[in-house]
Amino acid sequence: GENVEQHPSTLSVQEGDSAVIKCTYSDSASNYFPWYKQELGKRPQLIIDIRSNVGEKKDQRIAVTLNKTAKHFSLHITETQPEDSAVYFCAARRGTGGENKLTFGTGTQLKVEL
Amino acid sequence: IAGITQAPTSQILAAGRRMTLRCTQDMRHNAMYWYRQDLGLGLRLIHYSNTAGTTGKGEVPDGYSVSRANTDDFPLTLASAVPSQTSVYFCASSAFTGGDTGELFFGEGSRLTVL
């Protein structure tokens, strides 16, 4: 099955700096890669996603890049703010066979310090 | 407010007892899922259902069972709880179309402690 590795497990940045979280996946058939944000005590929520026919996607201060050859994808947050502090999860989904199973990474605790 | 509801919010359970976590959604999503969240291990899929009447196993299905009698409800049952099942359980749903995973909408979570 799919295996998703996520690094780093914790990340501290100064407010205004950029943050980068990286994930690798094992199944070359995976073609959908979402990122979820989970604030303390809350439910995970989708913040951005990318499909394998696209190399990069941006939404205001967040962007995701995908390298299918190397089987890795990254989340970039620019101009970080205190409200960006949360746990971020990457995930991957195999695209064929009717299966609908997202495999999540182990999460990155991002702390934005004032 | 439309969404996905889980019950109970938290529960302490003696080992060996049977427990059912309830999950109901009113978004008419065809796909539903159960994940468990453990520190350092992220979100791991227990069971899923692409449509009413069908279910499938995820990464960690042992000790758990599910049913999907209708579109809205997807209960998770622990037949005989063990301490390793202490976790936070999230139910989720999505509008899966067969070729494209829709956004997963998560419930608030159910914190289960097995003693």
Side-chain angles (χ1 to χ4, degrees), chain A residues 36 38 43 51 93 98 100, chain B residues 33 37 100-101 106 108:
Chain A
Y36 283 78
Q38 185 180 29
R43 69 190 83 188
R51 288 172 172 76
R93 175 194 175 259
N100 182 32
Chain B
Y33 320 80
Q37 183 173 26
D100 191 17
T101 295
F106 286 86
E108 297 271 12

Side-chain angles (χ1 to χ4, degrees), chain B residues 14-54:
Chain B
R17 298 296 296 269
R18 181 184 179 90
M19 177 71 192
T20 294
L21 302 180
R22 300 183 298 278
C23 177
T24 299
Q25 54 104 359
D26 61 4
M27 297 176 282
R28 307 305 293 173
H29 286 166
N30 55 328
M32 297 187 75
Y33 320 80
W34 275 105
Y35 285 88
R36 60 177 289 174
Q37 183 173 26
D38 303 287
L39 190 64
L41 296 176
L43 293 156
R44 293 181 293 168
L45 182 65
I46 305 171
H47 285 287
Y48 69 101
S49 169
N50 284 344
T51 189
T54 68

Side-chain angles (χ1 to χ4, degrees), chain B:
Chain B
I1 297 176
I4 185 163
T5 304
Q6 291 183 231
T9 303
S10 66
Q11 182 76 45
I12 299 173
L13 187 67
R17 298 296 296 269
R18 181 184 179 90
M19 177 71 192
T20 294
L21 302 180
R22 300 183 298 278
C23 177
T24 299
Q25 54 104 359
D26 61 4
M27 297 176 282
R28 307 305 293 173
H29 286 166
N30 55 328
M32 297 187 75
Y33 320 80
W34 275 105
Y35 285 88
R36 60 177 289 174
Q37 183 173 26
D38 303 287
L39 190 64
L41 296 176
L43 293 156
R44 293 181 293 168
L45 182 65
I46 305 171
H47 285 287
Y48 69 101
S49 169
N50 284 344
T51 189
T54 68
T55 62
K57 293 182 179 180
E59 304 167 63
V60 288
D62 293 344
Y64 306 94
S65 64
V66 292
S67 61
R68 187 85 184 279
N70 57 62
T71 297
D72 299 341
D73 302 300
F74 192 44
L76 176 74
T77 297
L78 290 68
S80 179
V82 294
S84 61
Q85 292 177 311
T86 294
S87 186
V88 179
Y89 292 86
F90 283 98
C91 181
S93 70
S94 76
F96 175 58
T97 60
D100 191 17
T101 295
E103 175 180 354
L104 259 62
F105 290 86
F106 286 86
E108 297 271 12
S110 296
R111 182 176 295 276
L112 182 66
T113 303
V114 183
L115 301 176

Side-chain angles (χ1 to χ4, degrees), chain A residues 53-73:
Chain A
N53 58 346
V54 177
E56 183 177 5
K57 184 176 179 180
K58 290 183 179 180
D59 183 4
Q60 299 183 349
R61 293 186 299 107
I62 60 173
V64 57
T65 58
L66 171 65
N67 184 326
K68 283 214 73 178
T69 302
K71 289 190 283 188
H72 69 70
F73 56 113

